[in-house]
């Protein structure tokens, strides 16, 4: 597939069949646009995959927004970058003829997805957030009614404190999202359980026909 020239370097794989929402794949710190394609194929076979590379560099490692220290975010940059990413999603939807995607983000990618849900909820149909934390200390979520969010946290995660993940779940619920929050007996890294649970959750949301524009 030859990708269109859009505002983010990205990979795009077209859908193979109908009924599955497109996935917006958002990598963790030091990843790139190739990282999560295998995960996307595993958890939602046949979905279109849109996978941008974060534009912020930290010691040469791509990220989706600036941080001041681990877990301490430059919130002005979070806002700017979340809007930039939501604009990219709109561009890509137009260029590739896509319904609103479900974000699948890991770590920094999950945090920018949470920021987009907070600031630009119309950009996403739902989200799978792997090891996410609250991206903006004082922001309440936008209107998330009708959107599904699967939040998978690690009980032994050294980066995301348990109460922070629980707070994120509460913020998203307050916005009206249908939030499923599970705490797995793992650390910050991805596990087989993440793959199994994300796949089951996406399978449960799949549409029997081509109505993938529906929010999940
Ligand atoms: C972040 O900066 O988004 C979090 O600290 C997760 C990470 O990327 O390490």
């Amino acid at each position: 597939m030859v990708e269109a020239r859009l505002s983010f370097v990205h990979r795009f794989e077209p859908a193979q069949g109908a009924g599955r929402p497109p996935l917006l794949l958002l990598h963790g710190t030091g990843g790139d646009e190739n990282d999560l394609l295998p995960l996307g194929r595993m958890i939602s076979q046949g979905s279109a995959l849109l996978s941008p590379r974060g534009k912020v560099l930290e010691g040469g490692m791509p990220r989706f927004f600036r941080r001041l220290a681990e877990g301490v975010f430059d919130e002005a940059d979070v806002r700017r970058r979340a809007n930039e990413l939501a604009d990219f999603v709109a561009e890509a939807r137009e260029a590739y003829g896509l319904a609103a995607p479900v974000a699948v983000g890991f770590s920094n990618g999950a945090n920018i997805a949470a920021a987009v849900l907070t600031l630009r909820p119309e950009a996403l149909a739902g989200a799978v957030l792997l090891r996410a934390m609250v991206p903006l200390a004082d922001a309440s979520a936008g209107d998330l009614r009708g959107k599904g969010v699967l939040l998978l946290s690690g009980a032994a995660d050294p980066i995301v404190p348990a109460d922070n993940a629980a707070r994120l779940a509460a913020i998203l619920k307050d916005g009206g999202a249908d939030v499923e929050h599970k705490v797995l007996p793992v650390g910050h890294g991805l596990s087989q359980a993440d793959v199994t649970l994300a796949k089951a959750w996406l399978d449960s949301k799949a549409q029997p026909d081509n109505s993938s524009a529906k929010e999940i």
Side-chain angles (χ1 to χ4, degrees):
M1 170 86 201
V2 178
E3 276 80 11
R5 287 179 74 86
L6 303 178
S7 58
F8 276 67
V9 173
H10 67 283
R11 295 280 309 273
F12 176 69
E13 290 189 2
Q16 314 283 324
R20 289 271 175 177
L23 302 185
L24 174 69
L25 301 172
L26 301 167
H27 63 78
T29 302
D32 68 18
E33 66 277 20
N34 298 303
D35 265 33
L36 296 186
L37 292 171
L39 176 72
R41 290 182 204 118
M42 259 189 286
I43 63 177
S44 189
Q45 212 185 356
S47 276
L49 303 177
L50 178 64
S51 187
R53 185 196 304 169
K55 289 187 181 188
V56 171
L57 287 179
E58 182 184 274
M61 296 189 297
R63 289 174 48 83
F64 286 96
F65 57 81
R66 249 169 55 82
R67 65 180 164 183
L68 308 174
E70 197 164 271
V72 184
F73 304 149
D74 175 340
E75 294 206 5
D77 197 56
V78 174
R79 288 175 186 279
R80 172 179 163 213
R81 301 293 178 179
N83 279 304
E84 205 175 55
L85 184 61
D87 291 344
F88 164 74
V89 170
E91 267 173 52
R93 286 185 61 185
E94 171 90 26
Y96 298 121
L98 299 175
V102 174
V104 176
F106 167 60
S107 189
N108 180 248
N111 296 340
I112 193 73
V116 172
L117 283 173
T118 304
L119 300 172
R120 297 278 298 272
E122 78 288 353
L124 299 175
V128 175
L129 305 177
L130 306 166
R131 312 297 181 273
M133 53 196 293
V134 175
L136 293 161
D138 294 327
S140 50
D143 183 359
L144 297 174
R145 279 172 298 176
K147 297 184 201 287
V149 177
L150 175 65
L151 173 59
L152 298 180
S153 306
D157 190 332
I159 297 176
V160 183
D163 65 329
N164 188 303
R167 192 144 47 86
L168 175 60
I171 291 169
L172 298 173
K173 265 185 209 155
D174 280 352
D178 177 8
V179 180
E180 208 174 303
H181 183 200
K182 286 193 179 354
V183 182
L184 309 177
V186 298
H188 195 69
L190 287 183
S191 68
Q192 183 57 46
D194 290 283
V195 176
T196 307
L197 290 167
K199 181 175 186 320
W201 187 82
L202 285 161
D203 282 350
S204 76
K205 310 285 181 191
Q207 305 294 323
D209 57 7
N210 191 15
S211 49
S212 51
K214 233 182 127 208
E215 290 176 339
I216 67 166

